[in-house]
Amino acid sequence: MDLINILPDSVANQIAAGEVVDRPASAVKELLENAMDAGATQIDLVVKDAGRTLIQVIDNGCGMSDSDARLCFERHATSKIHRSDDLFAIRTMGFRGEALASIAAISQVELRTRLHDSELGTQVIIEGSQIVSQQPTACPPGTSMAMKNLFYNVPARRNFLKKDSVELSHIEEVFRRVTLIHYDLGFTLTSNGKLLYDLKAGSMLQRISQLYGNPYKERFYNVEEETDLLKIKGFVGKPEHVRKTRGEQYLFVNGRFIKHPALSAAVERAYEGMLPDHSYPSYFIGLQVDPSRIDINIHPTKTEVKFVDEHAMFAILRSAVKKALGQFTLATELEFNTPPEFNIPPAPKGYTPPTPRISYNPDYNPFRSIPSQTHLHLEKDTNDFKGIKDIDDPIDIKDPVPLSLPKSTCLQVQNRHIVTPLSSGLAIIDQQRAHERILFDQLTQSRNNAVTQSQTLLFPVNCSFSAADAEMFNELLPDLRDYGFAIDPMGQCTFVVTATPPDIKESELQECFDHMLVDYKSSTLQKFNNRSQSLCAALARQMAVKPGKVLSQEEMQQLVADLFACPQADTTPGGKKIITIVKPEELLK
Ligand code: ADP
Ligand code: MG
């Protein structure tokens, strides 16, 4: 008995579709890539219910003719390659000719497209791989591809979709991966009628800050290198802005987001010795290589690639990042010059490498820099603050040095640490962290006691954010009001501030909020058990005096007294150490 039958196309397409479109985000990726391949300069993505009900991509690219508009839904229909040789010179995002066939197999698609030199466009409606209608239509040049009711005919797949917030975050991730590297194009993302991102064409750094917020502009060093083999252009995080999560690590090759553990390791190796344990640098790095040296002929939803010249690329990338981090040494130069065929332009004559600008040093001991002629007299009970864990044995100095400082005098060292004598030794207090702790306690208390302090501004201040940040800010408004802010929305991305807690300078409001949002985003991933606590911590961090601020004697004394009044004076809300005690024995040395 013969058992084998050939599956109808619609079933075959549905099976194949599972490979290309496993969730809304993968359809988004395919449609965005098609729009870019069509040469679009403005691409608008619209989703409803996290892509379940609608995923639409509108572009101003080349558009399609009447017959292409039908043909594009056939499997293996592509305009991008003709011969197998072309597979080794791929410069487009797509080439397999199966995305639209897959999408048409599992949703209801409406395509409207028009060539730039045609008067009229064409509309094609296709459901479950069957063309329902095709007719001429008036539409702008370019293409609009709308896929509705994803998996309407594959209930099993539909049931596997996660809740909307999860699917939407996958879509946003795809959107970031595409838009970060195609910063020369304009993009928007609208979800359920709300404009989440409106990204204008610009530089890579502008794109990064459009996506992640303004403070990101200051958090990165530029990496740029060009060799015969590899062109590198991107940004690597300054060591002082490391993260506890591997979040923002983006590598791209020829305009495509990739995952490549070896190349990622090359970047991290460049940071060797500069980062505290369990922390990861952020980076956004675009690579350009000859397409014939890559094998991207991999699974469409995967992001792995293979390189012919992996080892050389590793060395070049690591050196380039090291150089960006200000570690340009002879060793770096040697690495660049081996193997010799990489034509790195030699550094110009008389070139002095930039002094490393890395300020992070976990062993930083400001005490060392106290001028040696300063005599500190430590008197028992000079300033016996309670509440510090480090206090143990009281001092007993047999041979006191001459008294040159009055009681409980504070010294500011390098405008970032306050040094003050205690009975247990010399306390070195980080001024920013101390203030952060004080403000955090004040903020949480004022909230609990409803005795919020607030100062009305003489002139209201407007603050604006990216669409995504504005939405988050909007959600935080009730909490911010509890802390003494008077803020009201004014339009979509702008807010007007009419009152603030006493410690905030109005000229620094925008910056304070920008940083607060960044901190808030990362602190919500961390240890705080609720939203208002992490907001408080973020706010306190921003309001706190910064290193570099000169403090008067009274200010220092007030800060120290306020700090020791806090129940947890020794650590910041984020768990960083505020006070270091130098014991008398160590002092005597
Ligand atoms: P591939 O991108 O691999 O070629 P797709 O199934 O994604 O395969 O698309 C099939 C073809 O449809 C493309 O090769 C292209 O010619 C055409 N096409 C798809 N989307 C667009 C678009 N937005 N604008 C113009 N042409 C498009
Ligand atoms: Mg495609």
Side-chain angles (χ1 to χ4, degrees):
M1 188 175 76
D2 295 338
L3 296 174
I4 295 176
N5 63 64
I6 304 287
L7 289 173
D9 271 359
S10 59
V11 178
N13 277 341
Q14 242 189 47
I15 294 170
E19 304 249 303
V20 183
V21 181
D22 55 353
R23 61 180 351 146
S26 39
V28 167
K29 170 175 175 280
E30 295 296 336
L31 296 183
L32 291 177
E33 291 186 350
N34 280 350
M36 292 189 290
D37 284 345
T41 54
Q42 176 64 40
I43 301 173
D44 301 308
L45 167 63
V46 179
V47 298
K48 284 205 179 111
D49 306 319
R52 232 180 274 268
T53 331
L54 175 74
I55 298 172
Q56 183 177 18
V57 171
I58 304 157
D59 69 56
N60 62 355
C62 62
M64 281 181 267
S65 70
D66 294 357
S67 56
D68 279 358
R70 218 173 30 250
L71 208 62
C72 69
F73 295 107
E74 296 289 326
R75 194 153 294 277
H76 309 307
T78 180
S79 55
K80 296 166 197 174
I81 56 173
H82 300 277
R83 304 179 297 272
S84 74
D85 281 0
D86 294 345
L87 277 174
F88 303 98
I90 304 265
R91 290 184 192 276
T92 51
M93 306 298 293
F95 57 89
R96 301 166 145 256
E98 53 186 8
L100 291 184
S102 299
I103 284 169
I106 44 143
S107 66
Q108 300 159 330
V109 178
E110 183 194 347
L111 161 65
R112 295 157 72 85
T113 186
R114 187 185 130 195
L115 295 170
H116 282 247
D117 52 11
S118 300
E119 296 269 292
L120 268 185
T122 184
Q123 180 207 45
V124 175
I125 294 183
I126 178 164
E127 284 183 13
S129 303
Q130 306 297 316
I131 298 220
V132 176
S133 76
Q134 176 166 22
Q135 57 193 27
T137 185
C139 62
T143 301
S144 154
M145 190 73 79
M147 48 182 298
K148 298 172 190 163
N149 304 319
L150 182 65
F151 300 134
Y152 79 103
N153 53 352
V154 204
R157 278 220 119 78
R158 205 170 53 227
N159 295 338
F160 270 108
L161 291 178
K162 300 266 167 32
K163 58 177 195 278
D164 279 9
S165 58
V166 175
E167 294 299 340
L168 186 63
S169 72
H170 283 284
I171 291 176
E172 284 188 70
E173 179 60 17
V174 162
F175 186 77
R176 275 191 293 272
R177 290 175 179 185
V178 167
T179 57
L180 271 169
I181 193 68
H182 295 279
Y183 45 86
D184 53 335
L185 309 178
F187 292 90
T188 63
L189 167 54
T190 305
S191 165
N192 294 338
K194 220 175 198 178
L195 180 68
L196 296 187
Y197 293 95
D198 183 0
L199 310 177
K200 306 273 186 266
S203 70
M204 187 172 188
L205 195 58
Q206 282 168 339
R207 181 57 50 89
I208 292 171
S209 68
Q210 286 168 339
L211 284 166
Y212 293 95
N214 246 333
Y216 269 66
K217 277 201 183 125
E218 274 94 56
R219 297 187 171 201
F220 291 88
Y221 292 124
N222 187 22
V223 198
E224 225 160 330
E225 203 61 64
E226 197 169 337
T227 71
D228 278 350
L229 189 68
L230 180 65
K231 215 169 128 179
I232 303 170
K233 183 171 156 39
F235 290 88
V236 291
K238 296 182 182 175
E240 59 264 41
H241 292 298
V242 292
R243 306 272 311 256
K244 292 273 179 257
T245 56
R246 255 177 214 276
E248 289 136 18
Q249 302 193 330
Y250 290 87
L251 265 186
F252 305 91
V253 167
N254 297 357
R256 237 177 252 279
F257 173 84
I258 58 156
K259 283 195 180 132
H260 198 287
L263 289 184
S264 304
V267 178
E268 287 188 14
R269 286 275 292 281
Y271 281 86
E272 231 156 45
M274 299 167 88
L275 301 182
D277 285 349
H278 309 297
S279 58
Y280 304 96
S282 300
Y283 52 83
F284 304 93
I285 299 178
L287 308 174
Q288 289 284 333
V289 292
D290 185 330
S292 67
R293 313 296 284 173
I294 319 180
D295 179 5
I296 42 170
N297 194 8
I298 41 108
H299 195 279
T301 59
K302 298 260 165 64
T303 44
E304 283 83 11
V305 287
K306 282 193 242 155
F307 297 103
V308 181
D309 312 288
E310 188 182 310
H311 287 295
M313 287 175 66
F314 182 98
I316 298 171
L317 183 58
R318 187 180 53 159
S319 305
V321 175
K322 267 193 181 176
K323 182 171 150 188
L325 294 173
Q327 292 195 320
F328 196 85
T329 58
L330 189 60
T332 327
E333 216 159 350
L334 286 176
E335 279 175 50
F336 266 121
N337 290 331
T338 39
E341 58 269 22
F342 304 146
N343 62 344
I344 319 282
K349 275 226 163 66
Y351 170 79
T352 9
T355 354
R357 278 179 292 168
I358 292 90
S359 59
Y360 182 83
N361 175 359
D363 297 318
Y364 180 62
N365 180 351
F367 188 58
R368 269 191 238 123
S369 51
I370 292 182
S372 55
Q373 68 270 30
T374 311
H375 299 293
L376 295 176
H377 175 66
L378 294 175
E379 213 177 48
K380 197 170 174 180
D381 298 327
T382 300
N383 208 346
D384 198 358
F385 288 113
K386 299 269 184 307
I388 311 177
K389 286 200 185 124
D390 295 37
I391 297 182
D392 29 36
D393 27 85
I395 327 173
D396 179 22
I397 299 177
K398 294 201 188 78
D399 205 4
V401 281
L403 177 68
S404 66
L405 293 171
K407 270 190 167 190
S408 69
T409 287
C410 298
L411 252 189
Q412 196 183 17
V413 181
Q414 294 196 337
N415 299 335
R416 62 184 295 168
H417 288 91
I418 298 169
V419 180
T420 190
L422 302 183
S423 64
S424 58
L426 201 54
I428 300 166
I429 299 168
D430 183 307
Q431 67 185 42
Q432 179 182 5
R433 292 180 182 178
H435 198 202
E436 208 178 312
R437 162 54 70 191
I438 296 165
L439 288 169
F440 178 82
D441 283 22
Q442 282 173 0
L443 284 170
T444 38
Q445 257 182 30
S446 76
R447 184 188 169 89
N448 293 342
N449 305 342
V451 285
T452 318
Q453 294 195 37
S454 184
Q455 58 177 15
T456 307
L457 301 178
L458 205 49
F459 300 104
V461 175
N462 287 353
C463 295
S464 312
F465 306 96
S466 73
D469 280 359
E471 189 168 353
M472 178 178 287
F473 194 73
N474 208 17
E475 282 172 19
L476 296 174
L477 283 186
D479 295 276
L480 288 167
R481 289 187 183 123
D482 284 349
Y483 299 135
F485 287 96
I487 309 177
D488 287 292
M490 198 181 76
Q492 244 203 345
C493 298
T494 304
F495 296 81
V496 53
V497 186
T498 48
T500 67
D503 287 294
I504 289 197
K505 277 213 209 96
E506 53 188 90
S507 59
E508 289 165 7
L509 260 179
Q510 174 80 52
E511 206 189 330
C512 167
F513 288 142
D514 284 343
H515 287 276
M516 177 199 82
L517 286 174
V518 172
D519 270 0
Y520 175 71
K521 281 182 238 176
S522 58
S523 71
T524 41
L525 305 172
Q526 291 173 13
K527 49 223 138 225
F528 299 101
N529 40 18
N530 65 47
R531 180 175 102 171
S532 78
Q533 283 237 315
S534 60
L535 177 65
C536 246
L539 207 54
R541 232 173 96 83
Q542 291 323 313
M543 289 161 64
V545 292
K546 300 291 176 299
K549 169 99 162 82
V550 180
L551 300 177
S552 69
Q553 190 55 235
E554 295 73 49
E555 286 173 324
M556 286 191 275
Q557 284 172 356
Q558 186 65 50
L559 194 79
V560 172
D562 287 350
L563 175 66
F564 289 132
C566 296
Q568 267 194 60
D570 49 349
T571 55
T572 65
K576 295 216 174 93
K577 196 169 168 189
I578 298 174
I579 308 164
T580 310
I581 305 274
V582 182
K583 299 251 173 65
E585 309 85 88
E586 293 167 299
L587 276 174
L588 283 172
K589 281 185 215 153

